Amino acid sequence: MWQVIIKVRCFGQLVAFGWLMVAGGAVQAQDEVAVPKVLSVGDSLLIKELYFKGIQQKSSGQLAAAENTFDKLVNLQPDNDAAHFELARIYFENEDFAAAERSAKRAAALHPKNEWYWNLLLDIYKKTTNVREMPMVFDELINLNPDKLSHYQDKAYTLYLDKRYNDALAVWETVAEKFGETDDQYLAKYQIYLAQGNTASAIRELELLVAKKPEESKSYILLAELYTNAGKSKKALALLDRAADLFPNEPLVLLSKSDTYLVMGKQRQAYDFLRQAFLSDQLDIDAKAGILYTAIGEQEHPIEGKYVADLANLLAESYPGEAKAHAVRGDIYMQLQQLEQAREAYLEALDKNKYIEGVWQQLLQVELQMGRYHDVETHGKEALRLFANHPLFLFFTGHGFLGNKNYQEARTHLEAALNNANETHIPLLTQLYSNLGDIYHVLSMHAESDVAYEEAIALDSTNAYALNNYAYYLAIRNEKLALAAEMSKKSNEIMPNYASYEDTYAWVLFQQGKYEEALIWIERAIKHSEKASDTLLEHYGDILAKLGNIDGAVTQWKKARAISQSVGKDIDKLSKKIDAKQYID
C-alpha cells in the first residue's frame, strides 16, 4: 500500500522513452545541420535548389510553404529519401501523424541504413502510442547498432506494453547473453512475470537481485511486498528485519513493515512502524501527505481511522508554519467525517496562506455539510474578495444564503455563478440550473423555474434531482401532468427506492386522479423512509381520503399535524381536514 511513494526505475534506460509516450511531448531534437544529406553530385540543380529552399522555409517557420516545396521535390524525384524525411518532420510538427508515418516509412525504405529515419518513425509511434509497430523499428536500429544496449531494453519494454510477454522475456535473455546480467533485467522480468500472474517466477527474479545487490534497499522492499501478497508474511518480515539492519535510516523499509502488519491484521504494529517512518527526515511533506491520502483511501487493508488522524495531527505539528500540512489534516478529517476538526484545520491553513483556492472550497463545503450557513456566507464573501467572480465560491456562498432562506441573495449569487462558470463544466452547470429552478419556484417565478429545470435536464437527462423537483412543482401547480408523470417515473428508474422521489410520483398520480396507483407509490415511499415526513404522511392521508378510507386518512393527517406542530409549521390546513374528515385542496 505505502509503495505508492516509491519511484522504482525498472527499465533503466527507458526514462526518456516514457516521456515521449505522453501526448504533447516533443519530438526528439534533430538539428538541421546534423541530418545527413543524401543529395549526390549527380542530382539536378533544380532538385538541389528545391531541397535547400524547403530547408530555409522550414527553418524560418514557414511550414506550409516548406511542405509545398518538398511535395514538388518528391513529385520530381520520388526516390529522394531526404525530402520524404523532411516532409515527415513537417507532418509531425503539424500533428498529422498518419502522413508523417507514411513519409518516414518511405524515407526509411529508400535508405534503411539511415538511423535518423528510423528514429523519426519511432518518435511517431511513441506519439501515437503505437506499441505494436515499435519492436520492428527497434529491430532495424539493433541491426544498425548491434552493441547498443538501450535498443534491446526499449524493444523489450514495448513488447511488455503490448502484452507480448514471452517475446519480451526472450529479448531479455538475449540481453543477458550479449551484455551479461543487469539489474534492469531482473526488475523487468519481475514485472513481466507479475503481469503474467506468475508470482513464483517474479519472486525468483527479486531473490536473485537481492543476492546480487544486497546493498540496495529497493529490491528488499519489492520482494517483501511479493512475499506479503503471496501470503508469506513471516518471510516478508524476516527479510525486512535484515533490511532494517542494513538500512537503519530507510523509511521505505519501515513503510513496508507497516504494510505487512496491516495485511496480517495487526493494526497497532502497523501504526507503530508507520509513525516511525513519518518521523523520518528522509520523507518530505509531500511524501508524508501521499502516505496519508493512500491510507485514507485504502479499501483492501485499511488502517483504523484513529491512527490516520494521529498521523495527520503529527504532520501539522511537524510543519506548523506550512499551510499544506494543515490543509492535508483537514482533508483527512473530512474523509473521516469529523467535520469540526476538518473545519478547524482548514481555517488554520488559511491563516498561514489565504490564497489557496482549494482550501477555501473545502472549508465552504465542510461548513455547508455542518449547516453553518452564516459561516458559509461570511467565508464565501471573503473568498470572493480574494478571487472575484470565482464560480465555485459564488456557488457555495449562494448555498449559504439558500440555507438561511435568503432567496434573493441566493438567486443573485447562483445567477452570477452561472454567468461565470465554464461552459464545459457540465456537472456544475446542471447543479446551478437545478438550484435556480428551486429558488425561482419559491419566489413564484414559475416560468423561469421551468426554464431552469429544462436547461438542467437538457445538459444531463439523467439528473434525477431536476426531474423530480420539476415534476413535483408542476404537480403542485396542477400543470403539464403528463410531462410531470414522465419525468417523475424516470427519476424513480434512475434512483429506485428513494422515498422523496416515490412521494413525488404518488402526488403526480394523485393530481391525475389515479388514486389506486398513487396509493401503491405513497406506501412504497413510507416503506423506504427512515422517518416519514409530515408532507409524506399528509399525502398518504389525502390519497386514502380520495379512496374513501376516511378513518385511515384522519390517522395519517393527525400524525402529520403532530410532526408539523413540533417544528413550528402552520397546521391550520391539516386541522381543517381532520375536523371536516375530508380532503381539502
Side-chain angles (χ1 to χ4, degrees):
M1 182 171 76
W2 314 123
Q3 271 60 51
V4 69
I5 66 166
I6 302 174
K7 308 299 184 186
V8 179
R9 264 186 64 191
C10 290
F11 294 98
Q13 304 285 333
L14 300 179
V15 176
F17 177 81
W19 291 342
L20 287 165
M21 293 297 289
V22 179
V27 64
Q28 288 178 341
Q30 295 176 348
D31 298 332
E32 304 293 348
V33 296
V35 180
K37 305 300 188 296
V38 297
L39 299 180
S40 67
V41 176
D43 289 318
S44 73
L45 181 61
L46 176 59
I47 294 296
K48 291 178 181 178
E49 286 178 352
L50 285 173
Y51 182 84
F52 288 110
K53 180 182 177 182
I55 291 293
Q56 289 172 348
Q57 290 169 330
K58 183 171 175 288
S59 298
S60 61
Q62 302 175 61
L63 296 184
E67 181 183 340
N68 185 53
T69 299
F70 285 118
D71 270 333
K72 289 179 180 177
L73 197 159
V74 296
N75 283 330
L76 290 170
Q77 192 179 63
D79 61 349
N80 191 312
D81 54 286
H84 286 290
F85 173 72
E86 294 300 339
L87 273 173
R89 296 179 69 186
I90 293 169
Y91 292 139
F92 188 96
E93 288 192 41
N94 288 331
E95 298 188 353
D96 185 350
F97 299 121
E101 180 184 359
R102 287 194 299 272
S103 293
K105 278 185 171 180
R106 180 63 176 150
L110 289 166
H111 192 1
K113 292 187 177 180
N114 190 320
E115 189 173 349
W116 289 91
Y117 299 170
W118 295 113
N119 279 325
L120 177 57
L121 187 57
L122 187 61
D123 286 338
I124 295 165
Y125 289 148
K126 289 172 185 175
K127 197 73 171 178
T128 57
T129 62
N130 186 351
V131 292
R132 172 59 56 171
E133 300 296 334
M134 287 186 203
M136 176 273 293
V137 180
F138 285 119
D139 284 339
E140 297 293 341
L141 290 171
I142 287 168
N143 287 334
L144 294 172
N145 294 283
D147 295 323
K148 191 170 182 178
L149 172 61
S150 64
H151 289 333
Y152 297 86
Q153 294 174 315
D154 289 353
K155 179 185 176 183
Y157 185 50
T158 57
L159 290 166
Y160 165 78
L161 291 176
D162 199 32
K163 299 182 180 180
R164 291 150 68 181
Y165 300 126
N166 289 332
D167 291 340
L169 288 170
V171 174
W172 282 112
E173 292 302 321
T174 300
V175 168
E177 293 171 6
K178 186 173 181 64
F179 300 98
E181 295 179 341
T182 66
D183 296 353
D184 288 335
Q185 174 190 342
Y186 293 118
L187 290 168
K189 289 173 72 175
Y190 141 76
Q191 285 198 332
I192 293 167
Y193 285 131
L194 273 189
Q196 290 180 315
N198 188 346
T199 303
S201 294
I203 287 174
R204 185 183 68 246
E205 293 299 324
L206 290 182
E207 287 175 340
L208 290 170
L209 183 57
V210 167
K212 184 180 179 184
K213 291 277 188 175
E215 71 281 4
E216 292 186 5
S217 62
K218 177 176 64 181
S219 51
Y220 289 85
I221 294 165
L222 292 173
L223 181 54
E225 184 181 11
L226 271 187
Y227 282 150
T228 300
N229 293 339
K232 302 177 180 180
S233 297
K234 290 183 178 179
K235 198 168 184 178
L237 289 175
L239 179 68
L240 291 170
D241 285 339
R242 282 172 53 200
D245 290 338
L246 291 167
F247 319 105
N249 299 315
E250 175 56 81
L252 298 184
V253 173
L254 298 170
L255 290 173
S256 194
K257 275 193 173 184
S258 172
D259 206 5
T260 301
Y261 277 117
L262 268 182
V263 172
M264 296 171 72
K266 297 184 177 182
Q267 289 276 331
R268 183 66 206 189
Q269 292 95 323
Y271 168 70
D272 287 342
F273 283 106
L274 186 53
R275 192 174 192 280
Q276 288 180 48
F278 229 71
L279 291 169
S280 171
D281 292 335
Q282 292 189 41
L283 293 180
D284 62 18
I285 185 172
D286 291 325
K288 293 173 183 178
I291 291 170
L292 284 170
Y293 287 128
T294 300
I296 204 67
E298 175 65 23
Q299 299 295 321
E300 189 174 358
H301 300 292
I303 192 167
E304 291 178 18
K306 64 180 180 180
Y307 293 134
V308 185
D310 285 345
L311 292 174
N313 293 334
L314 180 58
L315 184 70
E317 291 166 9
S318 301
Y319 303 92
E322 289 273 2
K324 181 186 293 185
H326 297 284
V328 171
R329 179 174 177 264
D331 290 346
I332 297 305
Y333 275 112
M334 189 174 181
Q335 289 295 315
L336 293 171
Q337 285 299 299
Q338 297 182 34
L339 301 184
E340 188 59 55
Q341 292 92 328
R343 178 175 180 271
E344 170 197 312
Y346 289 136
L347 288 170
E348 189 69 33
L350 291 170
D351 184 60
K352 307 301 180 211
N353 184 351
K354 63 182 180 180
Y355 295 100
I356 308 175
E357 290 184 30
V359 177
W360 282 109
Q361 291 175 29
Q362 294 292 85
L363 172 65
L364 293 170
Q365 187 174 340
V366 165
E367 289 178 338
L368 275 177
Q369 286 187 45
M370 297 174 74
R372 300 182 67 129
Y373 301 122
H374 289 294
D375 288 325
V376 175
E377 290 181 24
T378 301
H379 290 134
K381 290 177 182 177
E382 188 176 350
L384 286 167
R385 282 194 291 272
L386 297 169
F387 306 97
N389 298 319
H390 193 295
L392 282 178
F393 296 152
L394 287 164
F395 172 82
F396 285 125
T397 309
H399 274 269
F401 286 113
L402 188 58
N404 284 325
K405 296 182 169 55
N406 186 340
Y407 298 112
Q408 286 292 355
E409 281 291 342
R411 172 192 171 187
T412 298
H413 281 80
L414 292 181
E415 285 178 343
L418 185 62
N419 291 333
N420 286 280
N422 189 316
E423 63 182 15
T424 64
H425 198 331
I426 302 302
L428 176 59
L429 293 174
T430 305
Q431 183 72 50
L432 285 166
Y433 278 119
S434 299
N435 295 147
L436 284 168
D438 297 344
I439 292 168
Y440 293 147
H441 170 78
V442 173
L443 296 173
S444 298
M445 300 168 62
H446 299 311
E448 291 83 353
S449 176
D450 291 356
V451 169
Y453 286 130
E454 286 162 6
E455 289 288 345
I457 294 165
L459 286 168
D460 179 7
S461 62
T462 63
N463 185 340
Y465 178 90
L467 289 164
N468 173 78
N469 285 20
Y470 190 15
Y472 185 65
Y473 293 141
L474 286 175
I476 288 175
R477 286 152 42 198
N478 204 11
E479 298 176 2
K480 303 178 186 176
L481 293 180
L483 174 62
E486 180 185 337
M487 291 190 297
S488 183
K489 183 180 180 182
K490 185 174 181 180
S491 72
N492 279 282
E493 290 168 351
I494 294 167
M495 286 187 64
N497 304 326
Y498 191 58
S500 177
Y501 294 177
E502 290 169 333
D503 173 42
T504 294
Y505 194 36
W507 197 242
V508 173
L509 293 167
F510 176 89
Q511 294 288 60
Q512 289 181 310
K514 300 176 180 179
Y515 304 123
E516 294 286 354
E517 288 182 67
L519 180 63
I520 293 170
W521 282 91
I522 200 71
E523 289 180 343
R524 283 186 188 177
I526 290 171
K527 176 184 176 183
H528 295 134
S529 296
E530 290 185 17
K531 185 177 180 182
S533 68
D534 51 348
T535 301
L536 188 57
L537 293 169
E538 183 178 3
H539 286 167
Y540 192 16
D542 294 345
I543 293 167
L544 290 171
K546 286 290 186 179
L547 289 169
N549 185 350
I550 298 301
D551 290 341
V554 170
T555 298
Q556 299 307 320
W557 288 333
K558 285 181 177 180
K559 290 179 183 179
R561 183 173 66 177
I563 295 171
S564 294
Q565 198 166 20
S566 69
V567 294
K569 287 186 180 180
D570 182 10
I571 60 170
D572 183 58
K573 186 176 179 181
L574 275 165
S575 295
K576 287 180 179 178
K577 290 180 181 180
I578 293 166
D579 292 340
K581 293 187 177 181
Q582 66 179 28
Y583 170 73
I584 298 173
D585 192 358

